[in-house]
Amino acid sequence: MKDQASGLREKMQFVGNHPENGDIPGSRVIAVASGKGGVGKSNFCVNFALALSNSGYRPIVIDTDVGFANVEVLLGTSPAHTILDVLNGMNIWEVIQHSPWGLSFLSAGQGLTDIHSLTNDDVELLVAALAKLQDRYDVILLDSGAGMGSHAGRLVVAADELIMVTTPEPTSITDAYAFLKMLASRGVLPKTHLIVNRAHDIADARATGVKLQMVTERFLQLQTDILGYILEDDAVVRSVMRQQPLYYTFPNSRASRCFNQVVKNFSSSKSNPAENNQGLRGFFSRLLRRNSPSGGESNSSYSG
Ligand SMILES: Nc1ncnc2c1ncn2[C@@H]1O[C@H](COP(=O)(O)OP(=O)(O)OP(=O)(O)O)[C@@H](O)[C@H]1O
Ligand SMILES: [Mg+2]
């Protein structure tokens, strides 16, 4: 008799390795960010993606946290290629990495942070290659760095949706608020969801989510929804140590069950079609428009 983990693995491998089955009507490009570092973004991306796969979604994780690439570490693998290999002529499907759990991921290398120092031709090539992802993946999760000091802010404003991760710690909440305030001051914020990670119980989680939701609404006039809660769970730490994702290693842990609930909530939080902008193609055109000196007009390079 198969154990639960092997059943899950088979299901995930099917989803991950055979993405061409069926059409994908529109992909959701979602940046996962936080104010404070170390709150659980990378673990969230990996396990949320596995839970999404288990529910029939076709997610891909793009690790954009240059220099601190954690996704590959959590998956116990190292990518043979990064997005920059596309510039050397490699096919995008060869650049995508498949972890043993059927989870597809893409390492951005320096590709996304240095995008404004690439030539127009380079950028066109990258955009065309990356836009193909939306033919096979319906949820594109960008694991970004913490805070505004990184390139995270640029990625976030270009995404269709933002998942803001916080823990119940006051410093994490205030940093999340500061991050959202900074983005709001730039005038554009994608549809924003909140995830409370490492809460001791549901009451603690809910109080944290509501607190952040209230201050952003009151002081930033920003509506957010609470996408869900991930409870504090030693199984997360053990899975990190094993370099095997929690959702696969401890499928019955309380944190894994939280991920299932987050997927349910996610399924009912449809992205607004009016705001949902052509998936990755839209994402990159917005990313470049905001970074190019002349607001998206044709330039010989994106430096400056
Ligand atoms: N729900 C949880 N329960 C217990 N521990 C957790 C939980 N979530 C995260 N952790 C712990 O927090 C650590 C940091 O998590 P993670 O690397 O995902 O954070 P991050 O926000 O991506 O960090 P960075 O900002 O450095 O990229 C994990 O290695 C794990 O030990
Ligand atoms: Mg991380």
Side-chain angles (χ1 to χ4, degrees):
M1 193 173 129
K2 284 180 196 164
D3 64 8
Q4 188 174 5
S6 71
L8 186 62
R9 183 175 56 226
E10 277 173 20
K11 203 166 175 185
M12 288 171 176
Q13 277 176 339
F14 177 80
V15 172
N17 291 341
H18 300 276
E20 57 281 331
N21 296 327
D23 290 336
I24 308 260
S27 41
R28 294 169 72 168
V29 181
I30 305 173
V32 177
S34 67
K36 191 173 160 28
V39 298
K41 293 178 299 296
S42 299
N43 273 280
F44 176 81
C45 284
V46 164
N47 292 297
F48 181 45
L50 288 170
L52 284 168
S53 290
N54 194 37
S55 290
Y57 284 90
R58 299 166 194 198
I60 184 168
V61 176
I62 304 187
D63 192 346
T64 71
D65 198 359
V66 175
F68 301 93
N70 287 161
V71 170
E72 62 200 59
V73 179
L74 295 177
L75 293 172
T77 179
S78 59
H81 304 292
T82 75
I83 285 178
L84 285 192
D85 288 313
V86 170
L87 296 177
N88 298 323
M90 191 171 278
N91 187 311
I92 186 70
W93 305 122
E94 288 173 46
V95 174
I96 290 171
Q97 309 289 302
H98 300 282
S99 81
W101 301 276
L103 177 62
S104 304
F105 76 100
L106 189 52
S107 172
Q110 295 289 330
L112 292 178
T113 41
D114 282 0
I115 202 159
H116 49 295
S117 64
L118 301 171
T119 67
N120 245 2
D121 286 349
D122 288 342
V123 170
E124 290 299 319
L125 194 64
L126 275 182
V127 171
L130 288 163
K132 288 184 191 162
L133 295 183
Q134 67 193 349
D135 299 338
R136 293 192 182 185
Y137 300 102
D138 55 4
V139 181
I140 291 144
L141 292 171
L142 302 155
D143 181 14
S144 55
M148 295 301 294
S150 67
H151 62 293
R154 290 208 305 272
L155 293 172
V156 167
V157 292
D160 296 328
E161 296 170 63
L162 163 64
I163 294 179
M164 206 55 206
V165 182
T166 184
T167 71
E169 283 188 343
T171 45
S172 176
I173 301 171
T174 52
D175 287 3
Y177 173 78
F179 184 89
L180 291 172
K181 186 178 176 188
M182 187 79 80
L183 291 179
S185 73
R186 294 183 182 184
V188 189
L189 253 174
K191 183 178 164 65
T192 303
H193 313 275
L194 306 178
I195 283 285
V196 180
N197 186 32
R198 309 198 68 166
H200 288 289
D201 52 45
I202 292 294
D204 179 30
R206 199 168 284 141
T208 301
V210 168
K211 195 184 294 174
L212 184 54
Q213 202 175 29
M214 276 170 53
V215 289
T216 55
E217 191 170 340
R218 178 155 178 215
F219 298 110
L220 307 178
Q221 287 75 51
L222 172 68
Q223 307 280 342
T224 58
D225 65 72
I226 300 174
L227 184 60
Y229 314 115
I230 312 294
L231 295 174
E232 171 78 23
D233 189 343
D234 194 47
V236 177
V237 181
R238 279 182 282 145
S239 69
V240 172
M241 294 305 290
R242 288 190 193 183
Q243 293 186 262
Q244 292 181 345
L246 165 98
Y247 193 76
Y248 164 74
T249 318
F250 302 106
N252 294 316
S253 62
R254 65 179 201 155
S256 288
R257 291 201 301 271
C258 291
F259 278 104
N260 287 332
Q261 184 59 47
V262 169
V263 169
K264 280 191 192 148
N265 299 345
F266 177 79
S267 300
S268 54
S269 79
K270 296 270 177 285
S271 55
N272 180 349
E275 291 167 10
N276 195 3
N277 334 261
Q278 309 135 31
L280 271 180
R281 201 175 286 280
F283 168 72
F284 279 103
S285 72
R286 288 190 295 280
L287 186 67
L288 296 174
R289 198 164 52 232
R290 286 178 213 291
N291 286 327
S292 66
S294 58
E297 299 303 315
S298 173
N299 294 297
S300 59
S301 87
Y302 284 90
S303 57

